[in-house]
Amino acid sequence: MCIKPAEFYLLDQEVLCFYDIMIRGRQRQEIVIGYRTANAECAIINPPQKSEPRKWAIDDVFVVISSGE
């Protein structure tokens, strides 16, 4: 398990739902299980509203299960 920068999955201020991020992670052979926004202290694992679109910032990070770096 590791933390990956948002720039691996999206463009700054791109509007996507968490399911879209999960699909992009899958294309990288990764499993995205959560995120932490740039202004938050704690990560959200298995977010409840995965289909709700939101604007992501390039400073956000994602919690990922990955076999590589």
Side-chain angles (χ1 to χ4, degrees):
M1 196 173 335
C2 59
I3 302 294
K4 301 262 180 139
E7 66 189 37
F8 285 13
Y9 309 97
L10 52 89
L11 301 171
D12 192 29
Q13 302 301 306
E14 190 170 6
V15 176
L16 299 167
C17 68
F18 189 74
Y19 281 129
D20 294 329
I21 303 297
M22 291 172 67
I23 290 168
R24 291 182 181 187
R26 191 174 203 175
Q27 292 168 341
R28 295 173 44 88
Q29 306 296 316
E30 300 170 340
I31 301 168
V32 181
I33 61 169
Y35 66 89
R36 183 178 54 81
T37 58
N39 57 356
E41 287 186 29
C42 298
I44 307 224
I45 305 300
N46 191 22
Q49 296 151 339
K50 293 176 185 66
S51 60
E52 186 175 304
R54 58 167 288 156
K55 188 183 291 187
W56 300 93
I58 205 69
D59 295 331
D60 297 339
V61 294
F62 292 96
V63 182
V64 175
I65 298 173
S66 174
S67 61
E69 290 183 41

